C-alpha cells in the first residue's frame, strides 16, 4: 500500500483506491468515508510489437490524486503558499516585460476532421460524492455546454450495484445514500439535457463470491430503457479491467473472476486475462442487447499502467466483432509542466487504429473512441487551457465523447477554499471549447506556425467559423495572423477570452469568468493572445 504524501499531492490528478478511511467535513456528523483508492505508479513507455495495441500517453505517468474531499490538494497548496500578492506582482511584472511573438494560423474549411457528437462534452460523477445533486447543477452544466454525464464513477463501477445503491459484500467503501441511479437521472442528467454514460459492474457480483453478473447489467438496461424509457445509449463493460492484477501484483481494480487473496497469485491468472475479459464481455453483450438491441457497448483498451507488457489484443480478437466502441483513459505524463502533451493525441491515435486493424480487422480500426476519463494540467489557468485543448484534440482524433474526471476535481469546487460548486478551471476550459465547437459542428484542418500556440478551426452549422487559439507559453504573448481559405469574413465578430488574467494574485481559483467582446475585420484578421491564455473567435461570413 502506498501512502499518498504531500509530495505526491503536488502531482495530483487522479485516484483509484486502496481502502483508506478519510474524515470528510461535509458528511453527517460521526461518519467517515472509506474511499477506494488505487495510486498508479511506475508507469513505463512501451513501444508496441507487430501485433500489440500501443500504450497511449494515458499509460505512462506516475500520478496520484487525492480523494474528492481528502488531504490538502495542490490547489490549496498553491493558494496558501504561492498566492501572496508580492509574488503575484513580481510574476506579473516578468510577464509584462516578456517580448511578444508572432505566429500564423491557417484554417482549411475544405478539409474536415470530425463532427462534434451530441455526447461530446462529458463529466464523470461518482457515488461517493456528498454534493451529488445540488439544485443549481443543471443550470451550470447547461451554461458550460456539458452534454454527457458518466456514472457510477471509476473503480467504484466494479464494486457498485445499481439496484441497491450499495457495494459488493465484503468491500469496505463509502457510498452516499443520495447518490442513487434514479437521482443521477432525475436530478442531474434529465434536468441538464445531457446523455448518460453508464459503466456496468464487470468485477464482482452482489454476494462478492464471483465476477460481475451479466443478468444484473441486463436488468439495468431493462429498467433504464424499457421501464423508464430513458433511452440510454452508451454502456461500458467494467472500468480499467487491465488493472485487475493479471499484469502485476499492484493491480487496482476489483475483479472476482478469480478470488481475492495473495495478489501474487493473480499475476498471469487466466481467469483475469484480457482473453477472459473478451469472453465474458460477449456474455454481457448478449444479455444486454437481448433487452435493447439499439444500445452501444464498449470495452476498455486503456492499457495497464504498471506493466509495460500489457496486451489488449486478446480482448479485441475475442470481442472486437461485437463491441460498438473502445474506451481510452488519458492522464498524460508531464501535463502539469508541459501543455504540449496534447500534441501526442493525434499521432498516438493513428497508431492505435493501425494496431487495431492489424490485430482485429478493419472493423476494429474504425470503431468509435470514448475517452471516459481524463484530467491534467497544473492548477490555475494551465488546467483550463489543458481542458480546452484536450476536448478539441480528442474530437479531431475521432472521439465521440470525452469525460473530465471528475465533477468535484477541477471542474466544480469541492468547497475547501471557495464556495461549494463554484466553477473552476476545467469548467471554463470545457466552456471555451463548447463556445467554439457545438454538437453538429465540424472541426477542420488547422495549422499553427508556433508549437506553443495550439489552434483549432470549426466550420459551424450556422455558416460562421470559429477559431480557438491557445497560448501555452507561460511567459510570452502571441500576435496571431489568421487566414481562412475559401471564406470571406463579415465585418465584425465575437471574441471570448480566458486565462491567467482570470486568476488574480496567482490564485488557483478563477476570480472572474470568460470575457466577451466584439472585433472588426476591416484591418485584417490579426489578434493578440496573452501568455497562458486562450481566445475563441466566432467569425460570420460576409453578406
Amino acid at each position: 500500500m502506498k501512502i499518498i504524501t504531500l509530495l505526491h499531492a503536488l502531482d495530483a490528478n487522479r485516484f483509484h483506491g486502496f481502502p483508506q478511511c478519510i474524515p470528510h467535513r461535509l458528511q453527517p456528523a460521526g461518519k467517515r468515508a472509506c474511499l477506494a483508492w488505487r495510486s498508479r505508479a511506475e508507469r513505463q513507455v512501451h513501444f508496441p510489437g507487430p501485433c500489440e495495441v500501443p500504450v497511449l500517453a494515458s499509460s505512462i505517468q506516475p500520478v496520484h490524486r487525492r480523494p474528492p474531499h481528502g488531504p490538502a490538494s495542490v490547489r490549496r497548496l498553491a493558494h496558501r503558499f504561492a498566492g501572496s500578492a508580492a509574488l503575484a506582482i513580481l510574476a506579473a511584472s516578468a510577464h509584462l516585460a516578456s517580448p511578444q511573438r508572432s505566429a500564423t494560423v491557417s484554417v482549411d474549411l475544405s478539409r474536415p476532421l470530425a463532427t462534434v457528437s451530441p455526447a461530446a462534452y462529458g463529466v464523470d460523477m461518482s457515488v461517493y460524492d456528498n454534493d451529488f445533486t445540488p439544485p443549481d447543477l443543471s443550470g451550470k452544466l447547461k451554461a458550460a455546454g456539458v452534454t454527457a454525464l458518466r456514472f457510477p464513477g471509476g473503480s467504484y463501477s466494479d464494486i457498485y450495484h445499481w439496484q441497491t445503491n450499495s457495494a459488493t459484500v465484503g468491500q469496505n467503501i463509502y457510498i452516499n445514500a443520495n447518490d442513487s441511479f434514479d437521482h443521477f437521472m432525475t436530478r442531474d442528467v434529465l434536468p441538464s439535457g445531457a446523455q448518460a454514460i453508464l459503466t456496468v459492474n464487470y468485477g464482482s457480483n452482489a454476494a462478492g463470491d464471483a465476477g460481475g453478473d451479466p443478468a444484473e447489467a441486463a436488468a439495468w438496461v431493462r429498467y433504464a430503457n424499457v421501464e423508464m424509457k430513458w433511452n440510454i445509449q452508451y454502456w461500458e463493460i467494467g472500468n480499467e479491467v487491465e488493472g485487475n492484477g493479471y499484469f502485476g501484483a499492484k493491480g487496482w481494480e476489483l475483479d472476482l473472476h478469480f478470488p481475492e487473496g495473495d495478489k501474487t497469485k493473480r499475476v498471469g491468472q487466466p481467469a483475469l486475462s484480457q482473453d477472459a475479459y473478451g469472453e465474458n464481455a460477449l456474455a454481457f453483450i448478449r444479455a444486454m442487447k437481448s433487452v435493447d438491441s439499439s444500445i452501444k457497448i464498449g470495452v476498455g483498451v486503456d492499457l495497464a499502467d504498471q506493466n509495460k507488457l500489457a496486451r489488449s489484443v486478446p480482448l479485441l480478437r475475442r470481442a472486437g466483432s461485437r463491441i460498438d466502441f473502445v474506451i481510452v483513459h488519458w492522464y498524460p505524463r508531464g501535463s502539469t509542466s508541459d501543455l504540449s502533451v496534447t500534441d501526442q493525441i493525434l499521432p498516438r491515435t493513428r497508431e492505435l487504429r493501425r494496431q487495431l486493424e492489424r490485430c482485429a480487422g478493419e472493423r476494429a480500426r474504425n470503431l468509435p473512441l470514448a475517452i471516459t476519463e481524463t484530467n491534467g494540467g497544473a492548477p490555475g489557468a494551465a488546467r483550463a487551457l489543458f481542458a480546452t485543448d484536450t476536448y478539441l484534440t480528442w474530437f479531431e482524433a475521432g472521439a465521440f465523447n470525452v469525460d473530465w474526471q471528475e465533477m468535484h476535481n477541477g471542474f466544480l469546487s469541492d468547497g475547501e477554499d471557495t464556495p461549494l460548486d463554484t466553477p473552476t478551471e476545467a469548467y471554463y476550459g470545457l466552456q471555451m471549447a463548447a463556445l467554439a465547437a457545438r454538437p453538429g459542428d465540424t472541426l477542420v484542418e488547422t495549422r499553427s506556425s508556433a508549437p506553443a500556440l495550439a489552434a483549432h478551426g470549426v466550420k459551424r452549422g450556422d455558416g460562421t467559423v470559429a477559431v480557438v487559439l491557445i497560448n501555452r507559453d507561460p511567459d510570452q504573448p502571441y500576435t496571431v495572423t489568421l487566414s481562412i481559405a475559401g471564406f470571406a469574413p463579415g465585418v465584425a465578430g465575437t471574441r471570448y477570452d480566458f486565462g491567467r488574467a482570470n486568476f488574480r494574485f496567482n490564485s488557483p481559483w478563477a476570480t472572474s469568468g470568460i470575457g466577451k467582446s466584439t472585433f472588426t475585420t476591416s484591418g485584417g484578421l490579426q489578434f493578440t493572445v496573452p501568455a497562458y491564455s486562450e481566445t475563441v473567435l466566432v467569425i460570420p461570413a460576409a453578406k
Side-chain angles (χ1 to χ4, degrees), residues 64 92 106 120 151 161 169 222 264 364 398 408:
H64 308 271
S106 58
F151 177 92
H161 300 280
V169 170
R222 181 176 296 104
T264 61
H408 290 104

Side-chain angles (χ1 to χ4, degrees), residues 244-246 255 258-259 262-269 272:
N244 62 9
Y246 178 84
D255 187 347
F258 184 79
D262 184 351
K263 289 185 177 294
T264 61
K265 293 182 179 179
R266 299 176 69 82
V267 177
Q269 171 56 235
L272 303 177

Side-chain angles (χ1 to χ4, degrees), residues 101-118:
R101 292 185 173 182
S102 299
T104 59
V105 169
S106 58
V107 179
D108 190 342
L109 300 180
S110 69
R111 298 181 67 86
L113 297 176
T115 299
V116 180
S117 159

Side-chain angles (χ1 to χ4, degrees), residues 85 289 395 453:
K289 290 203 172 188
F395 298 160
L453 185 80

Side-chain angles (χ1 to χ4, degrees), residues 115-267:
T115 299
V116 180
S117 159
Y121 294 101
V123 182
D124 289 338
M125 300 191 71
S126 300
V127 293
Y128 46 71
D129 193 332
N130 290 331
D131 185 39
F132 190 74
T133 56
D136 59 346
L137 180 62
S138 63
K140 290 176 179 175
L141 296 181
K142 287 179 181 179
V146 171
T147 60
L149 295 172
R150 180 178 180 241
F151 177 92
S155 294
Y156 265 52
S157 302
D158 288 314
I159 308 172
Y160 178 76
H161 300 280
W162 71 273
Q163 290 164 310
T164 57
N165 194 40
S166 63
T168 299
V169 170
Q171 299 299 315
N172 185 27
I173 64 170
Y174 171 77
I175 295 174
N176 189 301
N178 178 63
D179 299 358
S180 66
F181 173 58
D182 276 4
H183 284 179
F184 170 69
M185 291 300 300
T186 60
R187 300 185 186 182
D188 297 333
V189 174
L190 297 176
S192 65
Q195 297 192 35
I197 297 178
L198 301 182
T199 311
V200 302
N201 187 332
Y202 173 83
S204 59
N205 66 4
D209 56 10
D213 184 358
E216 180 182 31
W220 202 352
V221 176
R222 181 176 296 104
Y223 177 76
N225 289 359
V226 179
E227 296 178 25
M228 302 306 297
K229 302 187 185 306
W230 286 331
N231 192 30
I232 296 172
Q233 186 174 16
Y234 298 111
W235 301 74
E236 302 176 85
I237 300 176
N239 180 80
E240 298 179 2
V241 175
E242 80 282 351
N244 62 9
Y246 178 84
F247 295 111
K250 296 179 180 179
W252 59 90
E253 202 73 20
L254 181 68
D255 187 347
L256 296 182
H257 288 92
F258 184 79
E260 284 192 299
D262 184 351
K263 289 185 177 294
T264 61
K265 293 182 179 179
R266 299 176 69 82
V267 177

Side-chain angles (χ1 to χ4, degrees), residues 340-424:
S340 69
V341 292
T342 52
D343 295 341
Q344 302 171 10
I345 292 173
L346 288 170
R348 287 180 178 273
T349 303
R350 286 192 290 267
E351 179 60 22
L352 169 62
R353 292 198 177 280
R354 284 193 292 267
Q355 297 288 2
L356 290 175
E357 180 180 30
R358 186 177 304 156
C359 299
E362 183 177 355
R363 181 182 184 276
R365 176 187 177 95
N366 296 318
L367 284 170
L369 290 175
I371 316 305
T372 59
E373 288 186 22
T374 189
N375 192 305
R383 183 161 292 151
L385 273 57
F386 171 86
T388 302
D389 209 11
T390 291
Y391 278 98
L392 295 178
T393 307
W394 272 116
F395 298 160
E396 291 167 350
F400 70 86
N401 165 256
V402 178
D403 300 323
W404 186 265
Q405 175 72 11
E406 58 188 347
M407 186 67 72
H408 290 104
N409 186 46
F411 194 81
L412 295 180
S413 167
D414 59 11
E416 295 286 353
D417 294 299
T418 60
L420 188 63
D421 295 321
T422 300
T424 58

